[in-house]
Amino acid sequence: MDQQESAAASAGSFISLNEHEQRYYSGLHSLCQADTSGKLSSGKVAELFKASQLPPESLHKVTEVCGAKRLGFFGTPQFYVALKLLAAAQSGLPIRLESVTANLPLPRFVGLQNDPEMRYTTVPPGVDGQGLPAPGSASWTPADRTTFRHLESSVDKKESWSPPRSPCSSPPRSPMNYRSYSYSKQRNGTDPQMVYESKHPSRPIVQLEQHSSPSNYGTKATVEHPVIVRASSSDRLDHQGLVDYSDDDPWRITEEQLEYYTNQFKSLQPDLSALILGSVAKNFFTKSKLPIPELSHIWELSDVDRDGALTFSEFCTAFHLIVARKNGYPLPESLPPTLRPGFIQQEADIPDTPEDQNIIERLQPSIATTKQDLKEESCQQDTTVMMTTPQQKQTLRLDAFPQRPEPPQDLDPQLKTKTRPRSYSSTSIEDAMKKAEEPPTPPPRPQKTHSRASSLDLNKLFQQGAIGVKSGWLPPPPALPPRPTTSQVSHFAPEKTPQNKVQQPNFADFSHFREEEENRVKVEEQGPRSRFGLSTEDLSGTSKQDLIGASHSQAPQKPVRRKYHPEPQNLESVPPPAMFPSHTKPAQKLPSRQKREIQMAIRKNKETNAVLTRLNSELQQQLKVVHQERVTLESQLDLLRPLAST
Amino acid sequence: MAVCIAVIAKENYPLYIRSVPTQNELKFHYTVHTSLDVVEEKISAVGKALGDQRELYLGLLYPTEDYKVYGYVTNSKVKFVIVVDSSNTSLRDNEIRSMFRKLHNSFTDVMCNPFHNPGDPIQSKAFDGIVSGMMVQTG
């Protein structure tokens, strides 16, 4: 070992630790660290000391010498000194401060009761020599001490064939190589000194100590130094092992990893169907000591529903990406297909159920695992990508867990709010929509009361109709289909003097028929068809008058107008009455009631028609005005454009 | 297609600014800075009347000879500014609005990232991707 002058990070400078010691000690430090103030949990420290298999007196001496007794707690420097002293004691040197400076092997600890221990120790009994450790059948629940005992014994077994003090016995080590390889990696990973680490103290470090001498460790350390892995994850270990000798897709989450992620998820959020909030996840992932931009990128990749929280699958994705990154894989630009949440979910469904059963068999059946089973089964029923619809998943879980309806329900609204309805954009959208709608449908403009102070032309025109009214005559209904009206008005306005369109009297007959067609529309509304012929006759006479007043007429009807227009208004009024009585004569054959009814209807129609025509003409006028404005604006724009383009 | 896109924080310092002809960047930075005054004006004018019904899209802020500047402000007073080349056949209003909408969505995605501290410059690849998609493709 090189005696480098590397002072321990937090240790006092009075002892100098070499590289390996540094790493090892900081790993142990993380093992024992219980709180963030730097004080080590005395319980953990005591465990560690006991694991060193030194007699209690020496332990007391160590405590005294390193200064913890004086201080009342183990700070980091004290801890490091204590470790050094333990190493000294183990190698037979007296426990004194001077011993600290000696070139000592690393202290060895036996029988540390830590959780991750079992992960590794499950391997030795079953899978020594095999590449793959048994799928994490051991429970990861830290609190389960029963398994510790079981595994501890296996640890002891491990010890037996690699005696603690013997330096590298390569044969026993080779099957363990991949494991110790990761052990050492984990040891290098002094980073993950996180709270959850305390739950899974780095037992592997202990293991490694048993199996390899410091020198061996040294070689391994140099090999694994560039690789920094989060400690206490056999999953990662396994993952690494898998990667080592199988060219598997590194983005594929293995079963063990999934188990591990599940446990980690549970440690953060007991309900597997719930979400981990962003801040919680941030704290958790920050412990991985990856740079923040990388973590940010990982988050972007894994939070597929963009809700600022991680579902279980998203969490697995993120965790896996972090693991991969720690192992040296560059971060992908986009989410690999095997890490897609749907994929993970499908994976989770299949492997987890048998494993869960194993867990149940081996361990105390925990509600969590059964729930996981239920969850997995319920998830299995889902075929498609569930994570894209977290709400759907949520409801499924709700079905599966009637026992705990409340927490998931609490999270449901959370979920819904987190799916970010993006209502902020709605305002602009709505406004855009409104603006888009307005031009096509101009407001109705009930301008019936609008001033008649339109152009004089219109007034002139309407005077004819008005005169018709004044004369007590019914205002002639437009008697035209609605469509041609606009065109007629536009024709009409420039016309100004409809006098050109006098019609010959002989056209009247034709107009009869034509107007019959037009008036049919109104006639049908009014009365039975039996009176059709009569009404048309009646109307035909009046329709001519309509044409007089109605400024809009089709070309064929112009002759009708011409008939009346050149005549002075008096004349107009005369012939119509003349016409009218003549027409009414045949009508008198009919019952007078019907006739009156018809006439009343006719009058009403005529009135409405007159109003409508007035309205129409006014609108047309306004349209013209607007057109003119537009033209002026366009011309201005054209004038301005050459300026703008320069 | 935009020539320059900028995101400005509430305190009027830039969170993200990117322009396409990278040689003239200073000019665009200056333009964006001056457009902030117009944005403030618009915000304050409407704010009194309507309160939180303020329109997010501010429209054309500032036409100059070469280009036009459009503005958009979020409810948290984060401003987006897009500078468009005038010689471009004028993009319709709706297109500008959709650009802002995309920006806003992408911005909220960035904000949702717990590793991003509000007030930090935006360093998100997804956001960069969206912005690049909107910039002029001058190669």
Side-chain angles (χ1 to χ4, degrees):
Chain A
M1 289 190 295
D2 299 330
Q3 195 70 7
Q4 297 169 10
E5 286 294 327
S6 56
S10 49
S13 51
F14 64 95
I15 60 167
S16 57
L17 302 176
N18 61 20
E19 195 184 12
H20 314 309
E21 283 179 339
Q22 171 116 2
R23 269 184 242 119
Y24 181 45
Y25 288 174
S26 40
L28 288 174
H29 185 264
S30 71
L31 181 67
C32 301
Q33 185 159 7
D35 62 358
T36 50
S37 68
K39 290 187 202 174
L40 300 175
S41 143
S42 51
K44 294 280 185 187
V45 175
E47 274 181 16
L48 194 66
F49 281 7
K50 279 180 207 159
S52 67
Q53 293 184 324
L54 290 174
E57 315 88 70
S58 32
L59 291 178
H60 285 309
K61 191 92 193 286
V62 166
T63 318
E64 200 178 3
V65 169
C66 76
K69 207 160 193 183
R70 192 171 15 96
L71 289 172
F73 64 90
F74 271 98
T76 314
Q78 286 80 38
F79 183 65
Y80 284 10
V81 173
L83 289 175
K84 270 275 193 182
L85 289 171
L86 286 174
Q90 280 176 350
S91 44
L93 297 173
I95 299 175
R96 261 175 295 162
L97 266 177
E98 300 87 276
S99 329
V100 172
T101 55
N103 196 356
L104 295 167
L106 293 164
R108 291 183 200 89
F109 300 92
V110 180
L112 268 182
Q113 302 190 2
N114 300 315
D115 302 340
E117 173 64 13
M118 45 186 166
R119 289 185 202 151
Y120 306 111
T121 53
T122 51
V123 181
V127 200
D128 285 343
Q130 294 180 22
L132 281 169
S137 47
S139 138
W140 310 128
T141 53
D144 201 338
R145 295 258 162 186
T146 56
T147 52
F148 295 167
R149 311 273 179 255
H150 165 73
L151 297 165
E152 243 189 314
S153 58
S154 57
V155 170
D156 297 335
K157 281 185 212 166
K158 238 196 316 187
E159 291 171 30
S160 59
W161 53 272
S162 60
R165 302 240 172 189
S166 71
C168 27
S169 48
S170 32
R173 200 165 296 106
S174 49
M176 307 293 290
N177 254 359
Y178 76 94
R179 223 177 309 116
S180 46
Y181 162 65
S182 348
Y183 290 160
S184 55
K185 262 195 310 212
Q186 288 154 12
R187 222 198 295 169
N188 297 349
T190 57
D191 348 339
Q193 321 322 347
M194 316 146 204
V195 176
Y196 78 90
E197 281 294 81
S198 65
K199 286 189 200 164
H200 316 283
S202 39
R203 194 84 159 106
I205 296 173
V206 177
Q207 294 293 322
L208 183 56
E209 270 313 287
Q210 294 166 357
H211 303 304
S212 61
S213 73
S215 57
N216 195 21
Y217 168 62
T219 56
K220 286 213 175 101
T222 50
V223 167
E224 281 87 34
H225 186 50
V227 181
I228 299 175
V229 182
R230 243 184 271 189
S232 75
S233 85
S234 65
D235 291 333
R236 210 166 287 105
L237 173 168
D238 301 332
H239 161 75
Q240 194 62 27
L242 281 175
V243 173
D244 284 342
Y245 43 78
S246 69
D247 291 337
D248 247 357
D249 182 5
W251 304 117
R252 189 176 287 267
I253 298 182
T254 66
E255 300 165 1
E256 302 84 10
Q257 289 172 326
L258 198 57
E259 284 273 345
Y260 180 64
Y261 300 157
T262 314
N263 287 322
Q264 291 301 314
F265 189 95
K266 283 185 196 160
S267 72
L268 292 176
Q269 170 67 272
D271 185 6
L272 269 167
S273 61
L275 297 174
I276 292 186
L277 295 176
S279 49
V280 173
K282 175 182 178 178
N283 292 336
F284 184 75
F285 289 134
T286 313
K287 296 174 192 167
S288 69
K289 303 289 174 79
L290 282 179
I292 296 285
E294 293 195 7
L295 287 173
S296 181
H297 185 65
I298 288 174
W299 177 277
E300 277 184 4
L301 288 176
S302 46
D303 189 9
V304 285
D305 53 7
R306 303 271 183 226
D307 57 359
L310 295 181
T311 61
F312 176 62
S313 299
E314 291 174 347
F315 177 82
C316 289
T317 313
F319 211 124
H320 194 70
L321 285 170
I322 290 176
V323 166
R325 184 77 186 108
K326 285 240 162 199
N327 288 341
Y329 285 91
L331 283 179
E333 284 301 315
S334 62
L335 209 54
T338 52
L339 277 179
R340 293 268 158 73
F343 192 87
I344 292 173
Q345 202 57 37
Q346 291 165 16
E347 268 193 7
D349 295 344
I350 300 156
D352 278 354
T353 42
E355 289 173 4
D356 287 347
Q357 288 164 8
N358 289 339
I359 293 171
I360 291 168
E361 287 166 4
R362 295 201 191 185
L363 305 171
Q364 309 165 9
S366 61
I367 300 173
T369 52
T370 52
K371 278 194 177 168
Q372 191 173 2
D373 283 342
L374 286 173
K375 174 201 76 172
E376 301 305 339
E377 285 165 6
S378 67
C379 293
Q380 273 177 348
Q381 294 161 12
D382 267 355
T383 52
T384 56
V385 177
M386 285 171 53
M387 295 322 295
T388 54
T389 58
Q391 290 168 352
Q392 187 184 358
K393 182 179 164 196
Q394 189 83 358
T395 53
L396 266 178
R397 299 259 166 79
L398 284 173
D399 296 340
F401 303 124
Q403 313 152 4
R404 288 165 59 180
E406 293 176 2
Q409 282 169 5
D410 290 340
L411 288 160
D412 237 342
Q414 242 183 7
L415 253 187
K416 281 165 190 166
T417 55
K418 278 180 185 161
T419 48
R420 212 193 304 144
R422 300 192 196 263
S423 56
Y424 56 78
S425 60
S426 63
T427 54
S428 51
I429 292 173
E430 284 164 5
D431 289 343
M433 289 299 293
K434 283 178 201 162
K435 285 180 186 172
E437 283 169 0
E438 285 182 1
T441 63
R445 295 189 197 173
Q447 287 166 359
K448 292 189 180 173
T449 59
H450 192 58
S451 67
R452 302 190 187 178
S454 323
S455 69
L456 292 172
D457 300 333
L458 292 175
N459 283 338
K460 269 189 203 168
L461 294 167
F462 285 129
Q463 273 172 10
Q464 295 160 4
I467 286 162
V469 175
K470 285 176 194 170
S471 62
W473 194 268
L474 296 172
L480 289 171
R483 273 169 217 152
T485 55
T486 55
S487 57
Q488 296 312 313
V489 171
S490 58
H491 286 300
F492 181 72
E495 287 169 358
K496 293 195 179 180
T497 56
Q499 298 174 1
N500 313 331
K501 292 144 193 173
V502 182
Q503 191 196 8
Q504 312 302 327
N506 28 352
F507 281 92
D509 293 339
F510 289 98
S511 67
H512 277 294
F513 298 112
R514 267 180 244 115
E515 282 133 27
E516 277 175 17
E517 294 171 9
E518 289 156 2
N519 294 329
R520 258 172 223 168
V521 180
K522 294 164 205 158
V523 169
E524 285 169 359
E525 294 170 358
Q526 296 166 13
R529 283 217 154 211
S530 56
R531 296 178 214 149
F532 181 66
L534 293 168
S535 57
T536 49
E537 282 179 8
D538 283 337
L539 289 170
S540 61
T542 57
S543 62
K544 289 172 196 169
Q545 300 140 22
D546 299 344
L547 292 171
I548 294 167
S551 48
H552 28 268
S553 59
Q554 291 169 355
Q557 293 168 6
K558 284 178 189 174
V560 178
R561 248 191 287 156
R562 283 182 210 146
K563 179 181 180 182
Y564 297 105
H565 284 163
E567 297 172 4
Q569 295 165 355
N570 298 331
L571 287 174
E572 275 184 297
S573 58
V574 169
M579 293 286 295
F580 195 73
S582 64
H583 284 283
T584 52
K585 280 174 192 172
Q588 280 169 1
K589 292 173 188 174
L590 280 175
S592 60
R593 281 182 202 172
Q594 290 173 354
K595 188 176 128 190
R596 273 171 215 159
E597 285 170 4
I598 292 166
Q599 285 174 357
M600 287 296 297
I602 291 166
R603 273 175 215 156
K604 284 176 198 166
N605 281 329
K606 284 179 187 173
E607 282 166 10
T608 52
N609 283 331
V611 168
L612 287 173
T613 51
R614 227 176 279 133
L615 179 61
N616 193 356
S617 53
E618 285 168 6
L619 286 172
Q620 291 298 319
Q621 192 63 23
Q622 287 179 357
L623 177 63
K624 266 176 254 157
V625 169
V626 169
H627 277 306
Q628 287 166 3
E629 283 175 13
R630 181 189 165 182
V631 166
T632 53
L633 283 172
E634 277 177 353
S635 61
Q636 287 175 4
L637 185 64
D638 288 334
L639 289 172
L640 287 171
R641 257 195 202 141
L643 293 176
S645 62
T646 53
Chain B
M1 295 293 119
V3 174
C4 169
I5 290 179
V7 178
I8 292 135
K10 191 168 97 167
E11 294 85 14
N12 287 336
Y13 62 86
L15 291 176
Y16 182 89
I17 180 163
R18 191 131 83 91
S19 44
V20 162
T22 45
Q23 54 274 19
N24 268 347
E25 257 188 342
L26 204 55
K27 179 179 87 175
F28 291 121
H29 290 212
Y30 170 71
T31 308
V32 169
H33 183 77
T34 51
S35 66
L36 282 178
D37 283 336
V38 186
V39 172
E40 289 287 339
E41 197 185 305
K42 292 212 179 214
I43 298 177
S44 59
V46 186
K48 292 173 203 165
L50 300 176
D52 57 11
Q53 288 207 358
R54 186 163 42 81
E55 168 72 58
L56 299 179
Y57 175 69
L58 301 173
L60 181 66
L61 299 175
Y62 184 69
T64 66
E65 309 165 349
D66 297 333
Y67 42 79
K68 304 179 195 159
V69 183
Y70 292 90
Y72 182 97
V73 62
T74 69
N75 285 321
S76 55
K77 304 284 177 72
V78 174
K79 298 140 190 125
F80 299 100
V81 176
I82 292 184
V83 181
V84 186
D85 210 353
S86 269
S87 58
N88 241 336
T89 51
S90 61
L91 297 172
R92 286 179 322 166
D93 201 45
N94 274 339
E95 292 178 16
I96 306 273
R97 279 179 195 268
S98 73
M99 282 165 74
F100 275 125
R101 212 173 303 130
K102 267 196 282 181
L103 270 179
H104 198 168
N105 286 342
S106 188
F107 178 73
T108 43
D109 288 342
V110 170
M111 282 295 137
C112 273
N113 190 330
F115 299 102
H116 177 268
N117 301 316
D120 283 355
I122 295 177
Q123 285 159 348
S124 153
K125 288 185 192 156
F127 192 80
D128 284 342
I130 293 206
V131 169
S132 310
M134 286 201 253
M135 304 283 260
V136 183
Q137 279 95 16
T138 51

